[in-house]
Amino acid sequence: MYKKIIVFEGIDGSGKTFHLNEVAKYLSKKKIKFIKIREPGGTKNSEVIRNIILNKKSTFKKKTDLLLYLAARNENYENLIKPYLNRKVILIDRFIDSTIAYQHYGFKINKRVIKELNNFILGNLKPNFTFFHYVPIKRIKKNISGKKNKYDSFSKNFYNKVQNGFLNILKKNKNKLLIDSSKNKKYNIELIKNRINKILNING
Ligand code: TYD
């Protein structure tokens, strides 16, 4: 019953990484085997690629970034996802939907090309469930505090386009839950935990 791929999506600063870590703690407590992956990054090789893309001084073109995100995904797929498929729960911080939301809805790269590249790497592999962390528009920060990396410094308008992209993609997906980040943190932790219990068929 376990062994699912569960993805956490949302714009920067939406709280997805916080909630993924809460789920990881919960699964550890329940002694359920899982692995945690972040994209871009995850393996030694894909962390190298992550540093290239997100370097504040990077001047790569948007299509170059797309290919690098996909290159990092391939490393994760071959080295982490494939070997653990059907063996452990796989928790992923950003996946296919981030690429469509950022590279297509944000940067206007052709959606078909992105989908074909994803299929080329992943075949018909799809996440079993997606938690989408939504930030109400007035709460989107103009610049994410601290400007940690290249992708943290875009305008509010850009993040709004990306977030609307996520909403569009996930509209058609039945296996998702929208988490409103303006709601109480504890409330959201419980909401996610309850859904995890259902997805993995475990007693709370
Ligand atoms: P990350 O550091 O995980 O974001 P966060 O700020 O939420 O911790 O991800 C870095 C950036 O990479 C993020 O701004 C989104 C971007 N990204 C894409 O543009 N396309 C992709 O396919 C992925 C996986 C990430």
Side-chain angles (χ1 to χ4, degrees):
M1 268 303 130
Y2 307 146
K3 306 156 189 164
K4 307 262 181 177
I5 300 179
I6 302 170
V7 174
F8 295 73
E9 293 281 15
I11 58 168
D12 307 68
S14 61
K16 64 184 169 39
T17 309
F18 169 83
H19 285 294
L20 184 150
N21 287 330
E22 286 295 310
V23 170
K25 278 194 243 163
Y26 179 63
L27 296 184
S28 298
K29 217 171 82 189
K30 290 273 174 194
K31 301 204 171 7
I32 292 170
K33 289 192 177 137
F34 67 92
I35 60 160
K36 223 170 81 170
I37 303 174
R38 70 164 174 181
E39 284 212 1
T43 65
K44 204 168 153 214
N45 285 346
S46 44
E47 287 292 328
V48 172
I49 301 173
R50 177 188 177 90
N51 290 333
I52 298 174
I53 313 174
L54 297 179
N55 189 315
K56 266 195 231 171
K57 295 190 186 119
S58 165
T59 53
F60 283 136
K61 301 294 182 199
K62 56 189 188 179
K63 287 181 190 165
T64 314
D65 276 0
L66 167 70
L67 295 171
L68 288 170
Y69 282 119
L70 269 297
R73 182 160 302 148
N74 189 52
E75 285 298 310
N76 277 347
Y77 177 61
E78 304 264 1
N79 294 310
L80 291 173
I81 299 179
K82 225 156 114 183
Y84 290 112
L85 260 185
N86 302 320
R87 288 181 50 210
K88 291 185 182 185
V89 176
I90 302 177
L91 305 176
I92 315 183
D93 192 335
R94 299 194 181 283
F95 201 42
I96 308 166
D97 294 345
S98 269
T99 321
I100 307 278
Y102 281 80
Q103 275 61 51
H104 171 65
Y105 287 98
F107 290 114
K108 305 289 165 224
I109 298 179
N110 187 300
K111 202 200 288 186
R112 191 176 44 79
V113 172
I114 302 173
K115 285 194 168 167
E116 272 172 18
L117 285 169
N118 268 305
N119 287 345
F120 174 57
I121 289 165
L122 302 170
N124 53 16
L125 182 97
K126 293 266 176 324
N128 298 93
F129 200 87
T130 302
F131 288 101
F132 171 57
H133 301 266
Y134 174 81
V135 186
I137 194 105
K138 57 177 186 290
R139 288 187 175 231
I140 294 181
K141 295 181 191 142
K142 187 173 179 306
N143 285 318
I144 306 291
S145 55
K147 287 191 183 176
K148 290 176 292 175
N149 63 50
K150 180 173 140 189
Y151 277 69
D152 285 332
S153 341
F154 295 120
S155 67
K156 185 171 177 165
N157 179 40
F158 176 84
Y159 286 115
N160 192 28
K161 272 196 293 191
V162 172
Q163 178 154 270
N164 286 335
F166 273 123
L167 286 171
N168 223 353
I169 300 161
L170 287 159
K171 214 166 47 190
K172 299 160 209 149
N173 185 347
K174 285 196 197 108
N175 299 317
K176 55 120 196 302
L177 182 66
L178 190 142
I179 303 296
D180 180 345
S181 70
S182 66
K183 295 243 168 81
N184 178 286
K185 221 178 210 174
K186 280 204 178 125
Y187 169 85
N188 281 339
I189 292 173
E190 272 310 294
L191 198 65
I192 295 173
K193 201 172 87 182
N194 289 338
R195 187 52 73 98
I196 289 285
N197 288 341
K198 271 198 198 141
I199 301 165
L200 300 180
N201 206 9
I202 49 181
N203 296 319

